[in-house]
Amino acid sequence: MTEDLATRLTAMTRALVQKDSQTPPSDTGAVLQTVRSFLEAIPGLTLKRYVSEAPVENLVAVLDGGLLGPRTILSGHVDTYPVGDVSSWTFEPLGGEIDDGFIYGRGAADMKGGVAVLMEVVADWARRRPFAGSLVLALAGDEERMGELGTQWLIDHAPEICGDGVLVADAGGPLTVRLGEKGMLWLEIEAEGKQAHSAHTYAGTNAADRLVDALVALRQVEKLTPQPPADAGRVMASAALRSGEPKVLRDTLQRITVNVGTMTAGSSPNLVPAHASAAVDIRIPLGLSTADVARAVESQLGGRAGISWTITRRYEPSWTDSDNPLAMACLAGAEKIFGEAALVDNRIGGSDARLWRRAGYPCAVVGLTPKNLGAPDEACEIRELTQLHAVYDAIIREIHG
């Protein structure tokens, strides 16, 4: 049975990887058709396709256990990062090739392998009916653009989306239960100046200089000191002792970071630019809010000549208490499979979990350990597919009996 399960999970992961669903444009129709072909054969499962804004397609499947009980949402995304420079890949980016126990391809770890596990778990529980409560499989696109047309759209519009807790199979590791993640504030910063010939700089005002000075000042925002909730602080302190992760990563998890992602200015080296702009991603740890950071931005950029800015995205840091029943079920389930206590931690990167928590759901992320996340030769380990399946089955047993 274990060998058959590994074969099925490997085949489904490969099939999903082979369907191009890069964001942009987040065209998830083909990959979700592969999903539908599998799910439609499961007795008792009801499916609903949702197109939020073409070409972004989402899918919700509901399995009623037939007995009164809790309703658990299993959440995943089927879009991926862009492939990038194909020449930098050793393996075919959308090939789903197997080498030395790994499946290679864009999305293998983030998170088509996790989606394959969720699909197989739903199929298993369909065969076990009756059971207490119901399972809702919510698969979405647009996650790599922050999920507003994917999971957030489903939360806002799909009537099937209701429940007592959410499990997200995004990347992280099957023995790690991630109960929170950093927030973010995205800024578009504009600088205005006056164009002139570069031989006569005195006649112009350099917008690029104004922008650079503003961005240097913006680094002061990183000095804000967070005061995380007691539960989160205790969990992260314990995780720091067990995780084996480098100190720089642990420190980054608990501080503000400012990243200038794009910059543009001018049209020619021999002209003083009249306009410059930058896009900035500020990640916010637990214990600070987007309002705190916005005030700090105002203190650094307010009153600067020629500088204006707009907040284009804002998400609060989020956390599910470690004594929440969902979190306890995750810990108990993982320990039953691995024979040791699961690592409980925060999550340094973003995921759809922040959207579920914003909507009021307790939420935990348990997924595969990524190899080359977002980079060439992304991969997931075949052995972990069966491990993750066992963990999810154990967690659901804790919740649904």
Side-chain angles (χ1 to χ4, degrees), residues 10 34 59 91 123 184 205-206 319 400:
T10 298
T34 298
L59 181 69
F91 299 90
M184 62 185 77
T205 302
N206 194 306
W319 182 255
H400 295 269

Side-chain angles (χ1 to χ4, degrees), residues 140-164:
D142 198 51
E143 193 270 352
E144 305 299 359
R145 277 189 310 219
M146 301 296 116
E148 296 294 339
L149 295 176
T151 291
Q152 186 61 56
W153 192 95
L154 289 176
I155 291 170
D156 293 338
H157 297 93
E160 301 90 348
I161 298 299
C162 61
D164 301 289

